[in-house]
Amino acid sequence: MKNILILLFSVICLFSCRGKSEADDGIRYAKDVKSAVSLPKDRQQCIDAIIKYISTDTIAYLTEGIGYAGEPTTQYWLADTLLTIASEGQLKDFAMKHPSAIVRAAVFNALIRKYPHAAVDVAISGLKDMTPLMTMRGCCKDQDTLSMIRVHAIILNQKYYDISDVDYDRLDSVVLFSNAVKRLDSFGRLYQYIAPKPQYYQRLLSLYDESSYTGPIVALAKYKKVEVKDLMKKLINVENKERNDFENALQAVSIWPDESFKKWVRNVAQRLLDKKEYFPSELYMALMAYEGKWVKSMIESSLYDGSAEWNFYEAYEENPRPYYKALFDKHCARYKD
């Protein structure tokens, strides 16, 4: 009996010690980051070490996995570890004030996952932070600005990051009426998500310029006003449109598929089919805003390889149209998670 008690006591001690070792004085490491970086056990020293490590990077990794193989990055894991030991205030300070743009981006990317309200505060206060930096999202490498990274992370991922409607609307309003708004539309998606509030209409009209800045037409289409229809007609009839203007026109039509725009959308699709060029996702969105055998036939004819199917997949996922579900299932089922 004595031997059994001694053995039991030894097992308890073993697990007790192991638990203390893994906890590392309250520091909960993200995944196997300990195997990649040696960090101090002291909380503040650990925070300092993480920030110092991230500041040596030259790319801000905004997703856990990068490249076609989805290889994990130490930076992302370190930022996750930082969430377990740094306070909300410390994280906000790093995201707004640290001299390294990579640190400001990486910490913001972590902050939004745990403290979305604070992340919106950072995005608003840093609207003028146009510091350029290299980023990677999955296998996409781009040069962005800090302000753009923050604003689009919130606008495109409200539900994913559990951002409240109040915070979301707060950012929308500040961005729309800021002097930086034209520099924040690089992804061409800002106006697609903004709510069509009455108080925004005149501001959107004042921002729209058919010769240099057509992004607001996407938001204006939501109001379905006669003067907006006139602007849309002028835009779709402009010859040799810039690519952004072309995509903005298609997005506007997908939001307001008036019968008067149907012929233009059909002609655009036929022209690309004749040239054997890919349909952009915006064209699929505009096509699917209408229903008919001619649309199905055009979409079917365009889906001749994986790149074309992916554009169709993105368009359908953006706005699922039941009329085209069978076509989507036939060509895009393998792309779903």
Side-chain angles (χ1 to χ4, degrees):
M1 181 66 177
K2 183 178 179 179
N3 290 339
I4 293 174
L5 290 174
I6 291 172
L7 178 61
L8 181 60
F9 179 76
S10 299
V11 170
I12 291 172
C13 286
L14 176 63
F15 278 96
S16 217
C17 292
R18 181 178 296 173
K20 183 175 181 181
S21 174
E22 289 179 350
D24 283 320
D25 297 334
I27 300 172
R28 296 191 301 278
Y29 291 96
K31 300 197 175 180
D32 62 348
V33 72
K34 284 199 296 183
S35 65
V37 180
S38 178
L39 295 172
K41 292 183 179 180
D42 176 80
R43 184 177 294 264
Q44 187 56 51
Q45 289 180 4
C46 186
I47 292 172
D48 294 341
I50 288 174
I51 295 299
K52 183 177 180 180
Y53 182 94
I54 293 175
S55 69
T56 65
D57 282 336
T58 56
I59 298 175
Y61 299 107
L62 305 181
T63 51
E64 184 175 6
I66 61 167
Y68 289 104
E71 291 292 332
T73 67
T74 302
Q75 181 190 111
Y76 195 95
W77 286 347
L78 283 171
D80 267 0
T81 300
L82 196 63
L83 285 179
T84 73
I85 54 177
S87 68
E88 180 180 346
Q90 286 176 306
L91 292 168
K92 283 183 71 173
D93 281 345
F94 287 132
M96 288 191 296
K97 301 175 183 177
H98 196 277
S100 165
I102 300 296
V103 169
R104 298 202 299 279
V107 174
F108 175 83
N109 196 39
L111 180 71
I112 196 173
R113 299 198 292 273
K114 188 173 183 180
Y115 302 108
H117 177 75
V120 174
D121 287 342
V122 171
I124 289 173
S125 66
L127 276 180
K128 296 180 180 179
D129 190 347
M130 295 294 177
T131 307
L133 72 165
M134 294 304 301
T135 64
M136 281 200 73
R137 298 175 181 84
C139 57
C140 297
K141 187 175 182 180
D142 295 296
Q143 181 165 330
D144 294 329
T145 66
L146 269 167
S147 188
M148 192 162 60
I149 289 168
R150 294 165 178 159
V151 169
H152 285 85
I154 294 166
I155 288 174
L156 303 181
N157 299 283
Q158 182 190 5
K159 293 181 180 179
Y160 182 79
Y161 290 126
D162 198 25
I163 296 164
S164 71
D165 289 340
V166 172
D167 278 336
Y168 193 81
D169 289 344
R170 184 163 61 103
L171 178 65
D172 267 354
S173 181
V174 172
V175 169
L176 184 61
F177 289 93
S178 76
N179 292 329
V181 64
K182 291 187 177 183
R183 299 179 66 186
L184 291 169
D185 193 33
S186 296
F187 293 165
R189 303 287 293 271
L190 180 59
Y191 295 112
Q192 186 176 339
Y193 291 89
I194 199 167
K197 295 184 178 181
Q199 62 268 33
Y200 292 167
Y201 185 71
Q202 289 302 322
R203 171 60 172 169
L204 289 164
L205 277 179
S206 69
L207 286 170
Y208 180 79
D209 186 330
E210 65 183 55
S211 64
S212 63
Y213 188 66
T214 61
I217 198 68
V218 178
L220 285 166
K222 301 172 188 177
Y223 293 88
K224 295 180 171 60
K225 290 179 177 285
V226 173
E227 62 182 330
V228 174
K229 183 187 286 189
D230 291 339
L231 291 177
M232 291 173 65
K233 285 180 178 178
K234 286 182 180 179
L235 181 59
I236 66 178
N237 288 320
V238 171
E239 294 292 333
N240 301 317
K241 285 186 285 293
E242 294 290 333
R243 182 168 180 82
N244 284 345
D245 296 340
F246 174 65
E247 292 174 351
N248 290 334
L250 288 170
Q251 283 195 52
V253 171
S254 73
I255 291 169
W256 187 7
D258 188 82
E259 283 294 307
S260 61
F261 306 137
K262 184 188 291 185
K263 182 179 179 181
W264 176 71
V265 174
R266 188 169 187 166
N267 288 342
V268 168
Q270 188 60 57
R271 186 165 63 249
L272 293 183
L273 282 176
D274 292 343
K275 294 180 179 179
K276 296 184 179 179
E277 294 182 7
Y278 291 128
F279 285 11
S281 59
E282 292 83 4
L283 177 54
Y284 284 121
M285 290 169 65
L287 282 166
M288 288 189 291
Y290 300 98
E291 293 185 1
K293 292 181 179 179
W294 67 272
V295 181
K296 286 185 176 179
S297 175
M298 283 187 151
I299 292 176
E300 186 91 56
S301 298
S302 73
L303 299 174
Y304 46 78
D305 67 14
S307 295
E309 289 175 344
W310 180 254
N311 287 349
F312 179 51
Y313 171 82
E314 285 191 318
Y316 187 90
E317 286 288 289
E318 185 69 42
N319 190 0
R321 305 277 188 172
Y323 185 79
Y324 297 101
K325 187 177 185 306
L327 196 58
F328 175 78
D329 290 341
K330 176 181 176 181
H331 290 274
C332 302
R334 67 181 180 278
Y335 297 115
K336 295 184 72 65
D337 294 334

